[in-house]
Amino acid sequence: MISVQVSEQLAAAANSYLKAFGHPVPDEIIEMFASRDGPLLLEIRQAIALERPIKAWLARSRMAPPTGP
């Protein structure tokens, strides 16, 4: 769950990425770039334009969620 306010552009780009590739931009990445989202917007737009998901984000989405005790 994202705990910071994000711009409309970043929210739209993250939603487009999810629709294009079936997995989200990790919350930690969005939070890290929330105050200065230009580089992340470019990365997301480039991935969508090239039709290539970000490999690290794809691998992260395939990891099993942590289990509790």
Side-chain angles (χ1 to χ4, degrees):
M1 175 112 197
I2 300 171
S3 62
V4 295
Q5 188 74 18
V6 297
S7 70
E8 288 182 30
Q9 284 185 327
L10 182 53
N15 190 39
S16 294
Y17 185 91
L18 176 62
K19 288 179 181 177
F21 301 116
H23 68 273
V25 176
D27 291 347
E28 299 84 31
I29 301 297
I30 292 175
E31 289 174 359
M32 192 179 350
F33 286 93
S35 63
R36 189 166 172 232
D37 61 9
L40 182 56
L41 285 170
L42 291 174
E43 189 76 19
I44 292 170
R45 289 174 180 159
Q46 182 179 22
I48 292 169
L50 296 174
E51 298 179 358
R52 293 184 183 155
I54 307 298
K55 290 180 183 179
W57 300 349
L58 179 59
R60 184 181 194 111
S61 72
R62 292 180 176 167
M63 290 177 25
T67 57

